[in-house]
Amino acid sequence: MSTPEREPFEDEHVGTRYRAEVEAAYRKLEAATAGPDGRTPFSRGALTGYRWALGRADAAPVTGGTDAGAPDLGLLTAEVDAVAVQLEDTAQRDVPDDHARGVYEALAWICGQSDLRP
């Protein structure tokens, strides 16, 4: 019995997405927003979400949690929930609305809660 060949990164996920897919989304957004006028609060938020999900940030973008390495699906989902609460309740918001929306959209896509990739 032979084992079928597998794509690179098949077993390496970030949330529900392949790591290579998240890396590509991060690089694409980073390139599209390069330059002094390219970064908006939304794109900065999305990039922050991507960096944290890929394990390249010291703290979670909204809650500030400091678990080492890339977060698992449970932590990613908890962060999506936390930013959703902040978007709904301005009294609890620690970050500007557009930045929070960027974080939310990036992490929701990574968690499979949205098909729209920022």
Side-chain angles (χ1 to χ4, degrees):
M1 201 169 19
S2 67
T3 304
E5 290 185 27
R6 300 194 303 185
E7 296 283 328
F9 304 109
E10 184 176 345
D11 294 326
E12 192 173 348
H13 286 83
V14 176
T16 63
R17 308 282 176 186
Y18 291 117
R19 176 170 292 280
E21 188 179 13
V22 177
E23 291 276 3
Y26 174 76
R27 284 191 307 270
K28 184 177 180 179
L29 181 59
E30 188 174 46
T33 60
D37 298 326
R39 299 261 162 90
T40 64
F42 178 88
S43 65
R44 283 192 296 274
L47 288 168
T48 298
Y50 284 139
R51 270 192 302 278
W52 176 69
L54 289 164
R56 296 182 187 145
D58 293 332
V62 176
T63 63
T66 58
D67 293 334
D72 64 11
L73 184 57
L75 285 174
L76 288 163
T77 303
E79 196 72 6
V80 171
D81 292 345
V83 72
V85 167
Q86 285 197 8
L87 285 167
E88 291 175 9
D89 185 0
T90 58
Q92 292 187 31
R93 189 172 314 143
D94 294 333
V95 295
D97 187 55
D98 288 343
H99 186 273
R101 190 158 309 287
V103 170
Y104 175 82
E105 290 198 16
L107 294 180
W109 176 75
I110 289 168
C111 290
Q113 297 176 3
S114 171
D115 290 330
L116 300 175
R117 180 182 68 195

